Amino acid sequence: MKFIPLIWSMLWRRRARTVLTAASIAAAFMLYGMLQAVGSTLALGGKTASADTLLTTNRYGFGKPLPYAYRSQIEAIPGVRNALPGVIVPFSYQDSRTSTQPSVAIDPQMFRTDRRFVVAPEQIKALEATRTGIIVGRDLATKYGWKIGDRITLSTHRIPRADGGTYWDFDMVGLFDYNTELLGEGVSSMRTFVRYDYVDETRATKGGVDLYFVHVKDVAQVPAVAKQIDTMFQNSDNPSKTQTESEQQRSMMAQIGDVGVIIRAVLSAVFFTLVVVAGNTMMRSFRERIPELAVLKTLGFTDAKVAALVGTEALLLCVGSGVLGLGLAWLILKPVSHAIASVFPVLRMGDGVVSLGITFAFALGVVSAVIPVWHSARLNIVSGLSRR
């Protein structure tokens, strides 16, 4: 502890260089934290997918609906527990330019089947009893000050009403949260769920389903059931494509490439550059202080103590800047995650990302200090003082 003032003064010997180096390291670790948060979030989707749930959509694209008549045919397949229809509705509240929230028109049974959603039993019953009922995410309700019993008016141009209007009235009957045991903390519930039958009877074009949530009784039957569904409709005007939730997520991500590889490539390039920058900074700092280090040895500092001072300086710079960068990433992600929660509900920097980031910062300090530490330990007093 008694050498901390000495290390601190060594670190700030060239203030401008220290500030610029620290800023470079902090920026790199801020980028690391944000990219890793995106990568972890995308990976989380596959890990939390229900193993016994299949998603059936139109083979020709998600925007082309399937007939509602498929429901009874799918449910007649051995091994299928139920097939629940879903329609994606981008409802807006007040200002449609800034408040569009995704909503899914579903069968109320969804909340009794899908473990990812936590809804009070009496609220599920209220949704089943109220055709105009709406279940609202707790975060969204907090944002707009909604409470159970409110009459909420939403609008959408994607699904016009049969009377030509774009406004829909709903009665708020419950709140939902995400299951933290499955998804962890911090998943934003900025969305709503309404009843499929109400939407279908009120809209202009009836009988269409964007996707079916097919729940299978036995996980071992999932591949066979998926194949049987697609075989059943392969020669129809609306052939189906049935996948597990994780398969569909991987398929969607494949359209934009392997995000994990992209993130690793970017971070590898950043950290390689960072090693060069930090190493060059520490080496230049060492060369400038050779006479001072020689004086320390003259005053009785051992080779090991001098080397430890140089190494600690590098670690302090790299780890301190790395922690600063990770902190900035956390501060930036917090408002960003709320801003995009309607389409990207899980965006957070997990504990694993932080601990790995600190490990990287420590490793960066060690690597950048190797050469200066080695030279400082071997520094000859006479040759060092001759540079004064």
Side-chain angles (χ1 to χ4, degrees):
M1 294 293 292
K2 64 181 179 180
F3 296 121
I4 289 180
L6 178 59
I7 296 172
W8 189 255
S9 63
M10 292 167 60
L11 188 61
W12 291 100
R13 189 173 185 273
R14 292 285 186 269
R15 293 180 180 273
R17 184 169 62 201
T18 298
V19 169
L20 292 175
T21 302
S24 300
I25 296 173
F29 278 90
M30 181 179 69
L31 177 64
Y32 158 82
M34 297 179 70
L35 289 178
Q36 286 293 84
V38 172
S40 299
T41 298
L42 295 176
L44 180 65
K47 293 178 181 178
T48 59
S50 298
D52 62 349
T53 301
L54 292 167
L55 301 180
T56 299
T57 59
N58 195 300
R59 184 190 301 173
Y60 298 131
F62 189 79
K64 186 174 176 59
L66 294 170
Y68 182 79
Y70 281 10
R71 179 179 185 178
S72 60
Q73 298 178 61
I74 296 174
E75 290 182 333
I77 296 174
V80 174
R81 182 185 301 116
N82 56 42
L84 305 181
V87 172
I88 309 301
V89 188
F91 279 126
S92 298
Y93 179 66
Q94 296 176 338
D95 186 354
S96 60
R97 296 170 299 176
T98 60
S99 63
T100 300
Q101 309 295 339
S103 182
V104 185
I106 57 160
D107 187 302
Q109 292 183 60
M110 175 67 72
F111 291 115
R112 300 187 183 278
T113 306
D114 198 321
R115 296 187 303 114
R116 287 169 296 185
F117 302 104
V118 179
V119 184
E122 64 274 12
Q123 295 176 4
I124 298 177
K125 291 180 180 179
L127 180 64
E128 293 171 337
T130 310
R131 294 180 70 79
T132 58
I134 183 172
I135 296 287
V136 180
R138 191 175 300 276
D139 292 333
L140 185 61
T142 301
K143 177 180 179 180
Y144 291 120
W146 296 340
K147 59 184 181 298
I148 295 175
D150 284 354
R151 184 79 166 173
I152 302 172
T153 299
L154 304 175
S155 65
T156 179
H157 292 280
R158 181 178 183 268
I159 303 181
R161 296 169 56 96
D163 59 11
T166 58
Y167 289 92
W168 298 67
D169 292 321
F170 296 99
D171 297 296
M172 184 171 167
V173 297
L175 296 165
F176 83 86
D177 294 294
Y178 283 108
N179 190 332
T180 56
E181 293 182 2
L182 292 177
L183 302 177
E185 300 287 346
V187 184
S188 182
S189 52
M190 297 287 288
R191 58 189 61 212
T192 61
F193 292 92
V194 298
R195 285 181 53 159
Y196 170 83
D197 52 2
Y198 170 63
V199 170
D200 191 58
E201 71 181 13
T202 309
R203 62 181 173 175
T205 304
K206 298 175 172 52
V209 176
D210 288 339
L211 75 165
Y212 284 100
F213 300 91
V214 182
H215 299 98
V216 183
K217 296 177 182 178
D218 187 352
V219 175
Q221 295 179 296
V222 165
V225 170
K227 183 177 180 180
Q228 194 167 349
I229 292 173
D230 292 341
T231 300
M232 180 184 298
F233 304 120
Q234 64 181 352
N235 295 320
S236 68
D237 293 335
N238 297 284
S240 64
K241 181 179 181 180
T242 304
Q243 301 172 294
T244 62
E245 290 183 308
S246 57
E247 286 173 343
Q248 187 186 66
Q249 290 163 359
R250 286 194 295 268
S251 177
M252 293 174 63
M253 293 311 304
Q255 297 178 19
I256 59 175
D258 191 328
V259 177
V261 171
I262 295 172
I263 290 176
R264 285 192 293 272
V266 171
L267 292 178
S268 296
V270 169
F271 279 112
F272 175 79
T273 304
L274 203 57
V275 168
V276 174
V277 170
N280 179 65
T281 298
M282 295 310 302
M283 198 63 206
R284 290 185 60 184
S285 177
F286 165 74
R287 291 196 184 103
E288 292 176 356
R289 296 203 310 270
I290 286 178
E292 298 171 8
L293 297 176
V295 170
L296 289 177
K297 288 192 174 185
T298 303
L299 295 175
F301 281 71
T302 63
D303 292 342
K305 282 186 178 180
V306 172
L309 290 174
V310 174
T312 303
E313 178 187 359
L315 290 175
L316 183 61
L317 175 63
C318 294
V319 174
S321 302
V323 171
L324 174 63
L326 292 172
L328 290 173
W330 182 82
L331 291 174
I332 293 172
L333 284 172
K334 194 168 184 179
V336 170
S337 64
H338 284 293
I340 65 174
S342 60
V343 293
F344 207 173
V346 189
L347 182 63
R348 60 174 180 263
M349 192 169 63
D351 295 338
V353 173
V354 175
S355 59
L356 187 59
I358 295 175
T359 301
F360 280 150
F362 185 85
L364 176 65
V366 172
V367 172
S368 64
V370 167
I371 296 178
V373 165
W374 184 69
H375 281 292
S376 62
R378 299 180 68 249
L379 179 63
N380 181 273
I381 296 177
V382 175
S383 60
L385 292 175
S386 66
R387 297 196 181 192
R388 293 181 64 88

